[in-house]
Amino acid sequence: MYHNPVLLKQSVDALVTNPDGIYVDCTFGGGGHSREILNRLSDKGKLFSFDQDLDALKNAIDDPRFTLVNQNFRFLENSMLAYGITQVDGILADLGVSSHQFDEAERGFSTRSNAPLDMRMNVMQGLDAKKIINDYEEEDLADIFYHYGELREARKLAREIVHHRKSKKIETTEDLKNLFSYIPAFKQNKFFAQVFQAIRIEVNQELEVLKEMLVQSYKILKVDGRLVVISYHSLEDRLVKRFLKNGMFEGEPQRDIYGNYSKSFDLLQTKAIIPDDKEIEENSRARSAKMRIGIKL
């Protein structure tokens, strides 16, 4: 399977409120969510799905109601305008890396396989993991590991990488992992997951892209339209939670004399929705998923 969609029924149940409406799936991948959305739409409904990964284009759905847009979802608003669409009824984003991208060893996303340091979701872009590891300044590497990997030893890791690359270029995921072979075995899985996450986020500018998509989503959603976002780590979830709460990513909104502020969304549910034990047992990649749903005011 290209990708096993997480929280499939719950997400589409929350998303589709008008069978005749226009919907967007920001992360097409294997098309699991898109197919379920199409199942809920009438002949009048339309679905636009985005994916920047060329591999995902092979999963295009043959349906007159469906359009696959080969773009990063940071170009959501302009891409929809190109199709003459200014408002939509709902937007879904299932963030992170697809099962296919993890399983294709040569993409370099997985900690389990030895592969070139790549980690690009869009293989046409110039910046990859190898360039980051071999060319970034020590301070910049430390910032990436600290902010995106939430690694307390970020400065030490950056220092070791810079020291090693002076004598030999770091080419593969195994080269990178071997630098930190001293990490105790019982800590290695979590440690390398954090290291790879940090590099991947920088390669793909994931947090900046997410912010841009969220802002544009608010612009093109109709009043009462639904924004459904599934995230897989705290950095993403924090941004989504704050944006749905007050339309901001940092700081505090301006309040009136009574302490109230203008809200952009109502939350369908105050707490994040998570997969149940059965889904996690069937799909281990669902275990860290959190879904939040906003209704545009």
Side-chain angles (χ1 to χ4, degrees), residues 12 16 19 28 48 107 135 138 145 147 152 160 168 178 224 226 240 260 284 291:
V12 180
V16 179
F28 178 67
F48 293 83
R107 302 291 293 270
D135 294 353
E138 181 177 324
F145 291 134
H147 292 295
R152 287 180 294 178
E160 291 183 9
K168 185 180 179 184
N178 286 339
D224 292 329
R226 302 284 180 93
V240 175
N260 301 314
S284 62
M291 181 170 70

Short mmCIF file of all heavy atoms in Angstrom, two decimals, residues 12 16 19 28 48 107 135 138 145 147 152 160 168 178 224 226 240 260 284 291:
data_model
loop_
_atom_site.label_atom_id
_atom_site.label_comp_id
_atom_site.label_asym_id
_atom_site.label_seq_id
_atom_site.Cartn_x
_atom_site.Cartn_y
_atom_site.Cartn_z
N VAL A 12 -12.99 12.66 7.32
CA VAL A 12 -13.91 12.98 6.22
C VAL A 12 -15.32 13.24 6.75
O VAL A 12 -16.05 14.08 6.21
CB VAL A 12 -13.89 11.86 5.15
CG1 VAL A 12 -14.84 12.19 4.01
CG2 VAL A 12 -12.47 11.68 4.61
N VAL A 16 -16.73 16.92 5.22
CA VAL A 16 -17.74 17.06 4.17
C VAL A 16 -19.11 17.32 4.78
O VAL A 16 -19.74 16.42 5.34
CB VAL A 16 -17.78 15.81 3.26
CG1 VAL A 16 -18.86 15.98 2.20
CG2 VAL A 16 -16.43 15.58 2.61
N PRO A 19 -22.53 17.90 0.17
CA PRO A 19 -22.16 16.98 -0.92
C PRO A 19 -21.96 17.68 -2.27
O PRO A 19 -21.27 17.14 -3.14
CB PRO A 19 -23.34 16.01 -0.98
CG PRO A 19 -23.99 16.11 0.35
CD PRO A 19 -23.81 17.52 0.80
N PHE A 28 -2.33 14.68 -1.07
CA PHE A 28 -2.95 13.57 -1.79
C PHE A 28 -2.29 12.23 -1.48
O PHE A 28 -2.98 11.26 -1.13
CB PHE A 28 -2.91 13.87 -3.28
CG PHE A 28 -3.48 12.77 -4.13
CD1 PHE A 28 -4.83 12.47 -4.09
CD2 PHE A 28 -2.67 12.03 -4.98
CE1 PHE A 28 -5.38 11.46 -4.87
CE2 PHE A 28 -3.19 11.02 -5.77
CZ PHE A 28 -4.54 10.73 -5.72
N PHE A 48 -10.19 19.12 -5.27
CA PHE A 48 -8.86 19.47 -5.75
C PHE A 48 -7.85 18.93 -4.74
O PHE A 48 -7.92 19.28 -3.56
CB PHE A 48 -8.72 20.99 -5.89
CG PHE A 48 -9.57 21.59 -6.96
CD1 PHE A 48 -10.90 21.91 -6.71
CD2 PHE A 48 -9.05 21.83 -8.22
CE1 PHE A 48 -11.70 22.46 -7.70
CE2 PHE A 48 -9.85 22.39 -9.22
CZ PHE A 48 -11.17 22.70 -8.96
N ARG A 107 14.99 7.49 -0.80
CA ARG A 107 14.57 8.86 -0.49
C ARG A 107 15.25 9.39 0.77
O ARG A 107 15.25 10.59 1.01
CB ARG A 107 13.04 8.92 -0.31
CG ARG A 107 12.21 8.44 -1.50
CD ARG A 107 12.31 9.37 -2.69
NE ARG A 107 11.69 10.66 -2.45
CZ ARG A 107 10.42 10.94 -2.71
NH1 ARG A 107 9.61 10.02 -3.20
NH2 ARG A 107 9.96 12.15 -2.48
N ASP A 135 27.15 21.62 4.45
CA ASP A 135 27.41 23.02 4.13
C ASP A 135 26.93 24.02 5.17
O ASP A 135 27.45 25.14 5.22
CB ASP A 135 26.76 23.38 2.78
CG ASP A 135 27.39 22.65 1.61
OD1 ASP A 135 28.41 21.97 1.81
OD2 ASP A 135 26.85 22.75 0.49
N GLU A 138 27.89 25.72 11.74
CA GLU A 138 27.66 24.97 12.99
C GLU A 138 26.49 25.55 13.78
O GLU A 138 25.64 24.81 14.29
CB GLU A 138 28.94 24.99 13.84
CG GLU A 138 28.82 24.23 15.14
CD GLU A 138 30.12 24.22 15.92
OE1 GLU A 138 31.21 24.15 15.31
OE2 GLU A 138 30.04 24.28 17.17
N PHE A 145 18.67 21.38 15.05
CA PHE A 145 18.50 20.24 15.96
C PHE A 145 17.74 20.63 17.22
O PHE A 145 16.95 19.84 17.74
CB PHE A 145 19.87 19.65 16.34
CG PHE A 145 20.56 18.95 15.20
CD1 PHE A 145 21.91 19.17 14.95
CD2 PHE A 145 19.88 18.08 14.38
CE1 PHE A 145 22.55 18.53 13.90
CE2 PHE A 145 20.51 17.44 13.32
CZ PHE A 145 21.85 17.67 13.08
N HIS A 147 15.54 23.40 17.62
CA HIS A 147 14.17 23.88 17.39
C HIS A 147 13.29 22.84 16.69
O HIS A 147 12.11 22.72 17.00
CB HIS A 147 14.19 25.17 16.58
CG HIS A 147 14.78 26.33 17.31
ND1 HIS A 147 14.21 26.87 18.43
CD2 HIS A 147 15.91 27.06 17.08
CE1 HIS A 147 14.94 27.89 18.88
NE2 HIS A 147 15.96 28.01 18.07
N ARG A 152 18.25 18.46 23.26
CA ARG A 152 18.96 19.32 24.22
C ARG A 152 20.46 19.39 23.91
O ARG A 152 21.10 20.39 24.21
CB ARG A 152 18.72 18.82 25.64
CG ARG A 152 17.32 19.11 26.16
CD ARG A 152 17.13 18.61 27.57
NE ARG A 152 17.20 17.15 27.64
CZ ARG A 152 17.10 16.45 28.76
NH1 ARG A 152 16.96 17.08 29.91
NH2 ARG A 152 17.16 15.13 28.73
N GLU A 160 30.10 18.04 16.40
CA GLU A 160 30.66 16.77 15.95
C GLU A 160 30.52 16.60 14.43
O GLU A 160 31.43 16.08 13.77
CB GLU A 160 29.97 15.61 16.67
CG GLU A 160 30.33 15.56 18.15
CD GLU A 160 29.70 14.37 18.87
OE1 GLU A 160 29.14 13.51 18.19
OE2 GLU A 160 29.78 14.33 20.10
N LYS A 168 36.08 14.20 5.96
CA LYS A 168 35.35 13.32 5.05
C LYS A 168 33.90 13.79 4.93
O LYS A 168 33.22 14.00 5.94
CB LYS A 168 35.38 11.87 5.54
CG LYS A 168 34.75 10.89 4.57
CD LYS A 168 34.82 9.47 5.11
CE LYS A 168 34.17 8.50 4.14
NZ LYS A 168 34.13 7.11 4.68
N ASN A 178 26.51 6.81 12.08
CA ASN A 178 27.77 6.31 12.66
C ASN A 178 28.48 7.35 13.50
O ASN A 178 29.25 7.01 14.42
CB ASN A 178 28.70 5.81 11.55
CG ASN A 178 28.26 4.49 10.97
OD1 ASN A 178 27.51 3.74 11.60
ND2 ASN A 178 28.70 4.19 9.75
N ASP A 224 -18.48 28.94 7.80
CA ASP A 224 -18.92 27.60 8.21
C ASP A 224 -18.16 26.47 7.51
O ASP A 224 -18.43 25.30 7.74
CB ASP A 224 -20.43 27.38 8.01
CG ASP A 224 -21.27 28.22 8.94
OD1 ASP A 224 -20.78 28.49 10.07
OD2 ASP A 224 -22.38 28.62 8.57
N ARG A 226 -15.00 23.95 6.81
CA ARG A 226 -14.22 23.17 7.78
C ARG A 226 -12.75 23.10 7.36
O ARG A 226 -12.43 22.85 6.20
CB ARG A 226 -14.78 21.76 7.88
CG ARG A 226 -16.27 21.68 8.29
CD ARG A 226 -16.45 21.95 9.75
NE ARG A 226 -17.83 21.89 10.17
CZ ARG A 226 -18.43 20.80 10.67
NH1 ARG A 226 -17.77 19.66 10.74
NH2 ARG A 226 -19.69 20.86 11.07
N VAL A 240 -0.97 24.52 14.64
CA VAL A 240 -2.38 24.34 14.25
C VAL A 240 -3.30 24.76 15.40
O VAL A 240 -4.28 25.49 15.20
CB VAL A 240 -2.65 22.88 13.85
CG1 VAL A 240 -4.14 22.65 13.58
CG2 VAL A 240 -1.82 22.49 12.64
N ASN A 260 -11.95 40.13 25.68
CA ASN A 260 -12.31 39.28 24.55
C ASN A 260 -11.48 39.61 23.32
O ASN A 260 -11.00 40.74 23.17
CB ASN A 260 -13.80 39.46 24.21
CG ASN A 260 -14.69 39.12 25.39
OD1 ASN A 260 -14.50 38.10 26.06
ND2 ASN A 260 -15.67 39.98 25.67
N SER A 284 0.86 1.40 12.73
CA SER A 284 1.71 1.95 13.81
C SER A 284 2.02 3.43 13.59
O SER A 284 2.27 4.16 14.56
CB SER A 284 3.01 1.16 13.91
OG SER A 284 3.76 1.26 12.70
N MET A 291 -5.65 15.14 15.46
CA MET A 291 -6.48 15.85 14.49
C MET A 291 -7.25 16.98 15.16
O MET A 291 -7.85 16.79 16.22
CB MET A 291 -7.48 14.89 13.83
CG MET A 291 -8.37 15.54 12.78
SD MET A 291 -9.34 14.35 11.81
CE MET A 291 -10.51 13.77 13.06
#
